[in-house]
Amino acid sequence: GDSVTQMEGPVTLSEEAFLTINCTYTATGYPSLFWYVQYPREGLQLLLKATKADDKGSNKGFEATYRKETTSFHLEKGSVQVSDSAVYFCALSDPSYGGATNKLIFGTGTLLAVQP
Amino acid sequence: DAGVTQSPTHLIKTRGQQVTLRCSPISGHKSVSWYQQVLGQGPQFIFQYYEKEERGRGNFPDRFSARQFPNYSSELNVNALLLGDSALYLCASSSLGEQYFGPGTRLTVT
């Protein structure tokens, strides 16, 4: 079945360092890809998305490019801040699922800790 | 505008008991999905409802059930609770292919 694999954490960086969190996926169709962020004691928030190959999603300085050839959707940010400390989830929408909205399949999450 | 709301925030139950969790979607959203997030893991899909009809079910036992009301709010019911049901239960409402999550209900089973 469809699945998402992302790098294990925690990832610990100093402020202003470059961030990469790897994400690869397995899907039978043509999924949409997402990055969600979960801050402490808060719900999941959509960070960015891409709906087709070569699309680049971006938001708040974060970027990810949908790479069909490598089945990847790596999250990057050029200069992290302490306020970026959170758990990041890569997810795909299941293209084989019918209904009003495709269900989301999540990776296990990567904890990012940014130190001042 | 109010986001997705869930109640209660926290809940402690004993093994074998039953629990009902509630969710109110964003105004105008007709689809509600439920996810279970065990500590240290990503959310797992439980149910989706659209216009009061079940549109999908994840790999969860029949102890889990849900329904959606005419005002599009939803309830998730879990019977015969097990220790392994301890988790954060997330509700998401959706529109135009994007899902918006509520803060969750933290269920602890002792």
Side-chain angles (χ1 to χ4, degrees):
Chain A
D2 296 349
S3 65
V4 173
T5 302
Q6 58 182 109
M7 63 187 291
E8 292 188 13
V11 173
T12 303
L13 297 173
S14 298
E15 208 165 21
E16 299 184 4
F18 184 84
L19 168 70
T20 299
I21 300 178
N22 291 336
C23 171
T24 57
Y25 68 91
T26 302
T28 54
Y30 301 94
S32 294
L33 302 174
F34 306 84
W35 277 100
Y36 280 83
V37 57
Q38 190 170 39
Y39 297 102
R41 295 174 295 281
E42 293 187 23
L44 282 168
Q45 299 175 23
L46 177 64
L47 182 59
L48 54 84
K49 69 174 184 179
T51 58
K52 61 183 187 296
D54 299 325
D55 269 3
K56 177 185 283 188
S58 62
N59 186 27
K60 299 181 181 179
F62 291 90
E63 292 183 341
T65 301
Y66 190 141
R67 301 287 189 199
K68 188 172 184 293
E69 63 276 13
T70 55
T71 62
S72 65
F73 192 55
H74 305 322
L75 183 68
E76 297 183 335
K77 187 176 185 183
S79 176
V80 294
Q81 305 299 313
V82 171
S83 57
D84 294 327
S85 298
V87 180
Y88 292 81
F89 292 93
C90 185
L92 67 80
S93 63
D94 185 348
S96 64
Y97 172 70
T101 304
N102 293 337
K103 71 176 182 180
L104 289 168
I105 296 171
F106 287 88
T108 55
T110 302
L111 173 63
L112 170 65
V114 180
Q115 299 175 338
Chain B
D1 288 341
V4 178
T5 59
Q6 293 185 242
S7 63
T9 304
H10 296 91
L11 205 51
I12 299 174
K13 290 287 189 178
T14 304
R15 275 180 299 176
Q17 287 187 316
Q18 176 265 342
V19 68
T20 298
L21 311 180
R22 296 176 176 82
C23 171
S24 292
I26 293 170
S27 177
H29 288 192
K30 300 179 180 179
S31 178
V32 170
S33 298
W34 287 95
Y35 291 80
Q36 180 195 63
Q37 186 180 12
V38 174
L39 193 62
Q41 299 294 318
Q44 298 291 316
F45 174 76
I46 309 175
F47 285 110
Q48 186 193 39
Y49 277 77
Y50 179 74
E51 289 276 18
K52 302 181 291 295
E53 290 189 3
E54 182 182 306
R55 289 300 186 96
R57 182 187 184 109
N59 188 25
F60 281 82
D62 291 343
R63 299 185 296 107
F64 289 76
S65 63
R67 56 179 175 168
Q68 187 177 31
F69 299 99
N71 65 354
Y72 303 112
S73 66
S74 177
E75 287 183 350
L76 175 69
N77 295 285
V78 187
N79 293 323
L81 285 166
L82 304 175
L83 294 178
D85 295 330
S86 295
L88 180 67
Y89 288 84
L90 297 166
C91 173
S93 73
S94 55
S95 175
L96 300 177
E98 291 192 11
Q99 296 197 37
Y100 299 85
F101 286 83
T105 293
R106 173 72 64 187
L107 172 64
T108 301
V109 182
T110 63

